PDB file of all heavy atoms in Angstrom:
ATOM      1  N   ALA A  15     152.712 131.527 165.197  1.00 95.00           N
ATOM      2  CA  ALA A  15     151.425 131.276 164.548  1.00 95.00           C
ATOM      3  C   ALA A  15     150.651 132.573 164.362  1.00 95.00           C
ATOM      4  O   ALA A  15     150.067 132.810 163.298  1.00 95.00           O
ATOM      5  CB  ALA A  15     150.616 130.276 165.374  1.00 95.00           C
ATOM      6  N   ALA A  16     150.658 133.421 165.387  1.00 94.00           N
ATOM      7  CA  ALA A  16     149.903 134.674 165.324  1.00 94.00           C
ATOM      8  C   ALA A  16     150.401 135.589 164.205  1.00 94.00           C
ATOM      9  O   ALA A  16     149.603 136.286 163.576  1.00 94.00           O
ATOM     10  CB  ALA A  16     149.977 135.399 166.665  1.00 94.00           C
ATOM     11  N   ILE A  17     151.707 135.573 163.954  1.00 94.00           N
ATOM     12  CA  ILE A  17     152.244 136.436 162.893  1.00 94.00           C
ATOM     13  C   ILE A  17     152.370 135.698 161.562  1.00 94.00           C
ATOM     14  O   ILE A  17     152.913 136.218 160.603  1.00 94.00           O
ATOM     15  CB  ILE A  17     153.586 137.073 163.296  1.00 94.00           C
ATOM     16  CG1 ILE A  17     154.679 136.024 163.475  1.00 94.00           C
ATOM     17  CG2 ILE A  17     153.428 137.953 164.532  1.00 94.00           C
ATOM     18  CD1 ILE A  17     156.084 136.606 163.588  1.00 94.00           C
ATOM     19  N   ARG A  18     151.871 134.473 161.544  1.00 93.00           N
ATOM     20  CA  ARG A  18     151.851 133.640 160.334  1.00 93.00           C
ATOM     21  C   ARG A  18     153.244 133.354 159.788  1.00 93.00           C
ATOM     22  O   ARG A  18     153.473 133.325 158.585  1.00 93.00           O
ATOM     23  CB  ARG A  18     150.953 134.252 159.267  1.00 93.00           C
ATOM     24  CG  ARG A  18     149.522 134.362 159.717  1.00 93.00           C
ATOM     25  CD  ARG A  18     148.636 134.940 158.683  1.00 93.00           C
ATOM     26  NE  ARG A  18     147.272 135.013 159.221  1.00 93.00           N
ATOM     27  CZ  ARG A  18     146.274 135.554 158.595  1.00 93.00           C
ATOM     28  NH1 ARG A  18     146.439 136.052 157.394  1.00 93.00           N
ATOM     29  NH2 ARG A  18     145.091 135.576 159.148  1.00 93.00           N
ATOM     30  N   SER A  19     154.167 133.116 160.691  1.00 93.00           N
ATOM     31  CA  SER A  19     155.535 132.724 160.314  1.00 93.00           C
ATOM     32  C   SER A  19     155.580 131.202 160.271  1.00 93.00           C
ATOM     33  O   SER A  19     156.069 130.534 161.175  1.00 93.00           O
ATOM     34  CB  SER A  19     156.541 133.270 161.329  1.00 93.00           C
ATOM     35  OG  SER A  19     157.848 132.849 160.983  1.00 93.00           O
ATOM     36  N   TYR A  20     155.036 130.641 159.204  1.00 93.00           N
ATOM     37  CA  TYR A  20     154.827 129.205 159.137  1.00 93.00           C
ATOM     38  C   TYR A  20     156.116 128.406 159.005  1.00 93.00           C
ATOM     39  O   TYR A  20     156.214 127.298 159.522  1.00 93.00           O
ATOM     40  CB  TYR A  20     153.845 128.861 158.015  1.00 93.00           C
ATOM     41  CG  TYR A  20     152.484 129.497 158.220  1.00 93.00           C
ATOM     42  CD1 TYR A  20     151.787 130.037 157.156  1.00 93.00           C
ATOM     43  CD2 TYR A  20     151.902 129.567 159.485  1.00 93.00           C
ATOM     44  CE1 TYR A  20     150.534 130.615 157.347  1.00 93.00           C
ATOM     45  CE2 TYR A  20     150.663 130.150 159.682  1.00 93.00           C
ATOM     46  CZ  TYR A  20     149.987 130.673 158.606  1.00 93.00           C
ATOM     47  OH  TYR A  20     148.758 131.243 158.800  1.00 93.00           O
ATOM     48  N   HIS A  21     157.118 128.959 158.335  1.00 91.00           N
ATOM     49  CA  HIS A  21     158.403 128.251 158.239  1.00 91.00           C
ATOM     50  C   HIS A  21     159.000 128.087 159.640  1.00 91.00           C
ATOM     51  O   HIS A  21     159.417 127.000 160.031  1.00 91.00           O
ATOM     52  CB  HIS A  21     159.368 129.006 157.323  1.00 91.00           C
ATOM     53  CG  HIS A  21     160.676 128.320 157.161  1.00 91.00           C
ATOM     54  ND1 HIS A  21     160.859 127.281 156.268  1.00 91.00           N
ATOM     55  CD2 HIS A  21     161.860 128.486 157.788  1.00 91.00           C
ATOM     56  CE1 HIS A  21     162.097 126.850 156.362  1.00 91.00           C
ATOM     57  NE2 HIS A  21     162.726 127.567 157.272  1.00 91.00           N
ATOM     58  N   GLY A  22     159.019 129.173 160.401  1.00 92.00           N
ATOM     59  CA  GLY A  22     159.530 129.121 161.770  1.00 92.00           C
ATOM     60  C   GLY A  22     158.669 128.244 162.659  1.00 92.00           C
ATOM     61  O   GLY A  22     159.168 127.535 163.531  1.00 92.00           O
ATOM     62  N   LEU A  23     157.360 128.282 162.444  1.00 96.00           N
ATOM     63  CA  LEU A  23     156.443 127.471 163.234  1.00 96.00           C
ATOM     64  C   LEU A  23     156.772 125.984 163.084  1.00 96.00           C
ATOM     65  O   LEU A  23     156.909 125.267 164.080  1.00 96.00           O
ATOM     66  CB  LEU A  23     155.000 127.752 162.799  1.00 96.00           C
ATOM     67  CG  LEU A  23     153.903 126.951 163.495  1.00 96.00           C
ATOM     68  CD1 LEU A  23     153.901 127.217 165.000  1.00 96.00           C
ATOM     69  CD2 LEU A  23     152.549 127.297 162.884  1.00 96.00           C
ATOM     70  N   LYS A  24     156.937 125.535 161.853  1.00 95.00           N
ATOM     71  CA  LYS A  24     157.260 124.116 161.624  1.00 95.00           C
ATOM     72  C   LYS A  24     158.568 123.738 162.312  1.00 95.00           C
ATOM     73  O   LYS A  24     158.661 122.716 162.989  1.00 95.00           O
ATOM     74  CB  LYS A  24     157.386 123.847 160.119  1.00 95.00           C
ATOM     75  CG  LYS A  24     156.092 123.824 159.387  1.00 95.00           C
ATOM     76  CD  LYS A  24     156.344 123.804 157.897  1.00 95.00           C
ATOM     77  CE  LYS A  24     155.876 122.526 157.297  1.00 95.00           C
ATOM     78  NZ  LYS A  24     156.006 122.523 155.835  1.00 95.00           N
ATOM     79  N   LYS A  25     159.568 124.579 162.156  1.00 93.00           N
ATOM     80  CA  LYS A  25     160.885 124.308 162.728  1.00 93.00           C
ATOM     81  C   LYS A  25     160.820 124.234 164.259  1.00 93.00           C
ATOM     82  O   LYS A  25     161.370 123.323 164.866  1.00 93.00           O
ATOM     83  CB  LYS A  25     161.865 125.388 162.266  1.00 93.00           C
ATOM     84  CG  LYS A  25     163.286 125.156 162.663  1.00 93.00           C
ATOM     85  CD  LYS A  25     164.164 126.223 162.010  1.00 93.00           C
ATOM     86  CE  LYS A  25     165.603 126.071 162.316  1.00 93.00           C
ATOM     87  NZ  LYS A  25     166.208 124.835 161.902  1.00 93.00           N
ATOM     88  N   HIS A  26     160.122 125.168 164.873  1.00 96.00           N
ATOM     89  CA  HIS A  26     160.070 125.205 166.334  1.00 96.00           C
ATOM     90  C   HIS A  26     159.176 124.107 166.910  1.00 96.00           C
ATOM     91  O   HIS A  26     159.454 123.608 167.999  1.00 96.00           O
ATOM     92  CB  HIS A  26     159.667 126.596 166.819  1.00 96.00           C
ATOM     93  CG  HIS A  26     160.796 127.573 166.759  1.00 96.00           C
ATOM     94  ND1 HIS A  26     161.670 127.774 167.802  1.00 96.00           N
ATOM     95  CD2 HIS A  26     161.229 128.367 165.754  1.00 96.00           C
ATOM     96  CE1 HIS A  26     162.576 128.663 167.452  1.00 96.00           C
ATOM     97  NE2 HIS A  26     162.323 129.036 166.209  1.00 96.00           N
ATOM     98  N   VAL A  27     158.138 123.724 166.190  1.00 97.00           N
ATOM     99  CA  VAL A  27     157.313 122.603 166.657  1.00 97.00           C
ATOM    100  C   VAL A  27     158.144 121.325 166.663  1.00 97.00           C
ATOM    101  O   VAL A  27     158.102 120.549 167.621  1.00 97.00           O
ATOM    102  CB  VAL A  27     156.036 122.440 165.797  1.00 97.00           C
ATOM    103  CG1 VAL A  27     155.373 121.095 166.049  1.00 97.00           C
ATOM    104  CG2 VAL A  27     155.054 123.570 166.092  1.00 97.00           C
ATOM    105  N   LYS A  28     158.922 121.119 165.613  1.00 96.00           N
ATOM    106  CA  LYS A  28     159.780 119.932 165.574  1.00 96.00           C
ATOM    107  C   LYS A  28     160.797 119.968 166.708  1.00 96.00           C
ATOM    108  O   LYS A  28     161.091 118.951 167.336  1.00 96.00           O
ATOM    109  CB  LYS A  28     160.462 119.828 164.210  1.00 96.00           C
ATOM    110  CG  LYS A  28     159.482 119.457 163.121  1.00 96.00           C
ATOM    111  CD  LYS A  28     160.138 119.423 161.755  1.00 96.00           C
ATOM    112  CE  LYS A  28     159.111 119.085 160.690  1.00 96.00           C
ATOM    113  NZ  LYS A  28     159.709 119.013 159.356  1.00 96.00           N
ATOM    114  N   GLY A  29     161.329 121.158 167.009  1.00 95.00           N
ATOM    115  CA  GLY A  29     162.244 121.307 168.134  1.00 95.00           C
ATOM    116  C   GLY A  29     161.567 121.017 169.467  1.00 95.00           C
ATOM    117  O   GLY A  29     162.163 120.427 170.366  1.00 95.00           O
ATOM    118  N   LEU A  30     160.320 121.425 169.584  1.00 97.00           N
ATOM    119  CA  LEU A  30     159.564 121.146 170.807  1.00 97.00           C
ATOM    120  C   LEU A  30     159.405 119.657 171.036  1.00 97.00           C
ATOM    121  O   LEU A  30     159.483 119.182 172.164  1.00 97.00           O
ATOM    122  CB  LEU A  30     158.180 121.791 170.725  1.00 97.00           C
ATOM    123  CG  LEU A  30     158.054 123.144 171.383  1.00 97.00           C
ATOM    124  CD1 LEU A  30     156.793 123.855 170.945  1.00 97.00           C
ATOM    125  CD2 LEU A  30     158.104 123.019 172.887  1.00 97.00           C
ATOM    126  N   LYS A  31     159.193 118.935 169.969  1.00 96.00           N
ATOM    127  CA  LYS A  31     159.040 117.487 170.112  1.00 96.00           C
ATOM    128  C   LYS A  31     160.330 116.880 170.667  1.00 96.00           C
ATOM    129  O   LYS A  31     160.283 116.010 171.528  1.00 96.00           O
ATOM    130  CB  LYS A  31     158.668 116.860 168.769  1.00 96.00           C
ATOM    131  CG  LYS A  31     158.198 115.429 168.900  1.00 96.00           C
ATOM    132  CD  LYS A  31     157.559 114.938 167.613  1.00 96.00           C
ATOM    133  CE  LYS A  31     157.024 113.540 167.788  1.00 96.00           C
ATOM    134  NZ  LYS A  31     156.359 113.054 166.579  1.00 96.00           N
ATOM    135  N   THR A  32     161.476 117.366 170.214  1.00 96.00           N
ATOM    136  CA  THR A  32     162.748 116.843 170.735  1.00 96.00           C
ATOM    137  C   THR A  32     162.975 117.273 172.181  1.00 96.00           C
ATOM    138  O   THR A  32     163.730 116.622 172.898  1.00 96.00           O
ATOM    139  CB  THR A  32     163.956 117.263 169.858  1.00 96.00           C
ATOM    140  OG1 THR A  32     164.114 118.679 169.922  1.00 96.00           O
ATOM    141  CG2 THR A  32     163.783 116.822 168.423  1.00 96.00           C
ATOM    142  N   LEU A  33     162.324 118.360 172.599  1.00 96.00           N
ATOM    143  CA  LEU A  33     162.416 118.793 174.001  1.00 96.00           C
ATOM    144  C   LEU A  33     161.462 118.007 174.900  1.00 96.00           C
ATOM    145  O   LEU A  33     161.416 118.234 176.103  1.00 96.00           O
ATOM    146  CB  LEU A  33     162.098 120.291 174.128  1.00 96.00           C
ATOM    147  CG  LEU A  33     163.137 121.268 173.612  1.00 96.00           C
ATOM    148  CD1 LEU A  33     162.600 122.695 173.666  1.00 96.00           C
ATOM    149  CD2 LEU A  33     164.426 121.159 174.422  1.00 96.00           C
ATOM    150  N   GLY A  34     160.670 117.127 174.296  1.00 97.00           N
ATOM    151  CA  GLY A  34     159.762 116.300 175.086  1.00 97.00           C
ATOM    152  C   GLY A  34     158.344 116.813 175.176  1.00 97.00           C
ATOM    153  O   GLY A  34     157.544 116.286 175.961  1.00 97.00           O
ATOM    154  N   ALA A  35     158.004 117.827 174.396  1.00 97.00           N
ATOM    155  CA  ALA A  35     156.632 118.329 174.421  1.00 97.00           C
ATOM    156  C   ALA A  35     155.699 117.281 173.821  1.00 97.00           C
ATOM    157  O   ALA A  35     156.010 116.671 172.799  1.00 97.00           O
ATOM    158  CB  ALA A  35     156.520 119.635 173.639  1.00 97.00           C
ATOM    159  N   SER A  36     154.578 117.097 174.462  1.00 98.00           N
ATOM    160  CA  SER A  36     153.588 116.151 173.943  1.00 98.00           C
ATOM    161  C   SER A  36     152.782 116.819 172.834  1.00 98.00           C
ATOM    162  O   SER A  36     152.743 118.053 172.712  1.00 98.00           O
ATOM    163  CB  SER A  36     152.641 115.708 175.063  1.00 98.00           C
ATOM    164  OG  SER A  36     151.809 116.790 175.457  1.00 98.00           O
ATOM    165  N   ARG A  37     152.118 116.008 172.057  1.00 97.00           N
ATOM    166  CA  ARG A  37     151.244 116.520 171.012  1.00 97.00           C
ATOM    167  C   ARG A  37     150.158 117.395 171.641  1.00 97.00           C
ATOM    168  O   ARG A  37     149.783 118.442 171.102  1.00 97.00           O
ATOM    169  CB  ARG A  37     150.626 115.361 170.234  1.00 97.00           C
ATOM    170  CG  ARG A  37     149.881 115.786 168.984  1.00 97.00           C
ATOM    171  CD  ARG A  37     149.339 114.572 168.223  1.00 97.00           C
ATOM    172  NE  ARG A  37     148.940 114.926 166.876  1.00 97.00           N
ATOM    173  CZ  ARG A  37     147.810 115.544 166.565  1.00 97.00           C
ATOM    174  NH1 ARG A  37     146.969 115.896 167.513  1.00 97.00           N
ATOM    175  NH2 ARG A  37     147.525 115.812 165.291  1.00 97.00           N
ATOM    176  N   GLU A  38     149.663 116.981 172.789  1.00 98.00           N
ATOM    177  CA  GLU A  38     148.610 117.720 173.482  1.00 98.00           C
ATOM    178  C   GLU A  38     149.095 119.103 173.929  1.00 98.00           C
ATOM    179  O   GLU A  38     148.335 120.074 173.892  1.00 98.00           O
ATOM    180  CB  GLU A  38     148.082 116.921 174.681  1.00 98.00           C
ATOM    181  CG  GLU A  38     147.314 115.673 174.291  1.00 98.00           C
ATOM    182  CD  GLU A  38     148.195 114.487 173.860  1.00 98.00           C
ATOM    183  OE1 GLU A  38     149.419 114.486 174.138  1.00 98.00           O
ATOM    184  OE2 GLU A  38     147.652 113.571 173.220  1.00 98.00           O
ATOM    185  N   GLU A  39     150.353 119.199 174.368  1.00 98.00           N
ATOM    186  CA  GLU A  39     150.901 120.501 174.766  1.00 98.00           C
ATOM    187  C   GLU A  39     151.014 121.426 173.561  1.00 98.00           C
ATOM    188  O   GLU A  39     150.669 122.615 173.650  1.00 98.00           O
ATOM    189  CB  GLU A  39     152.266 120.326 175.432  1.00 98.00           C
ATOM    190  CG  GLU A  39     152.193 119.712 176.806  1.00 98.00           C
ATOM    191  CD  GLU A  39     153.561 119.381 177.380  1.00 98.00           C
ATOM    192  OE1 GLU A  39     154.414 118.805 176.652  1.00 98.00           O
ATOM    193  OE2 GLU A  39     153.769 119.694 178.570  1.00 98.00           O
ATOM    194  N   VAL A  40     151.503 120.904 172.449  1.00 98.00           N
ATOM    195  CA  VAL A  40     151.607 121.711 171.227  1.00 98.00           C
ATOM    196  C   VAL A  40     150.215 122.137 170.773  1.00 98.00           C
ATOM    197  O   VAL A  40     149.974 123.307 170.452  1.00 98.00           O
ATOM    198  CB  VAL A  40     152.354 120.946 170.113  1.00 98.00           C
ATOM    199  CG1 VAL A  40     152.266 121.674 168.777  1.00 98.00           C
ATOM    200  CG2 VAL A  40     153.813 120.725 170.508  1.00 98.00           C
ATOM    201  N   GLU A  41     149.281 121.194 170.793  1.00 97.00           N
ATOM    202  CA  GLU A  41     147.920 121.500 170.381  1.00 97.00           C
ATOM    203  C   GLU A  41     147.303 122.569 171.279  1.00 97.00           C
ATOM    204  O   GLU A  41     146.644 123.499 170.800  1.00 97.00           O
ATOM    205  CB  GLU A  41     147.072 120.241 170.389  1.00 97.00           C
ATOM    206  CG  GLU A  41     145.672 120.466 169.865  1.00 97.00           C
ATOM    207  CD  GLU A  41     144.895 119.173 169.714  1.00 97.00           C
ATOM    208  OE1 GLU A  41     145.060 118.253 170.550  1.00 97.00           O
ATOM    209  OE2 GLU A  41     144.122 119.098 168.759  1.00 97.00           O
ATOM    210  N   SER A  42     147.533 122.484 172.577  1.00 97.00           N
ATOM    211  CA  SER A  42     146.987 123.480 173.506  1.00 97.00           C
ATOM    212  C   SER A  42     147.559 124.867 173.229  1.00 97.00           C
ATOM    213  O   SER A  42     146.826 125.863 173.270  1.00 97.00           O
ATOM    214  CB  SER A  42     147.270 123.076 174.954  1.00 97.00           C
ATOM    215  OG  SER A  42     146.509 121.945 175.295  1.00 97.00           O
ATOM    216  N   ALA A  43     148.853 124.937 172.959  1.00 96.00           N
ATOM    217  CA  ALA A  43     149.476 126.224 172.640  1.00 96.00           C
ATOM    218  C   ALA A  43     148.868 126.814 171.368  1.00 96.00           C
ATOM    219  O   ALA A  43     148.637 128.023 171.282  1.00 96.00           O
ATOM    220  CB  ALA A  43     150.989 126.070 172.484  1.00 96.00           C
ATOM    221  N   MET A  44     148.594 125.956 170.397  1.00 95.00           N
ATOM    222  CA  MET A  44     148.020 126.426 169.142  1.00 95.00           C
ATOM    223  C   MET A  44     146.559 126.841 169.316  1.00 95.00           C
ATOM    224  O   MET A  44     146.139 127.872 168.807  1.00 95.00           O
ATOM    225  CB  MET A  44     148.141 125.352 168.065  1.00 95.00           C
ATOM    226  CG  MET A  44     149.570 125.016 167.688  1.00 95.00           C
ATOM    227  SD  MET A  44     150.565 126.455 167.248  1.00 95.00           S
ATOM    228  CE  MET A  44     149.631 127.090 165.880  1.00 95.00           C
TER     229      MET A  44
END
């Protein structure tokens, strides 16, 4: 996010969801 790599950001967020990350955890990181 900091380097504005939005394509990678979308891909890794989706991967995080499959790893069991909650929406709140993703939101906190952002």
Side-chain angles (χ1 to χ4, degrees):
I17 65 168
R18 298 181 180 175
S19 178
Y20 299 140
H21 181 82
L23 178 61
K24 286 170 114 175
K25 186 174 181 60
H26 282 270
V27 166
K28 289 177 182 181
L30 264 165
K31 193 168 183 178
T32 65
L33 288 174
S36 69
R37 190 178 195 282
E38 292 77 16
E39 289 173 315
V40 171
E41 185 173 36
S42 291
M44 296 308 301

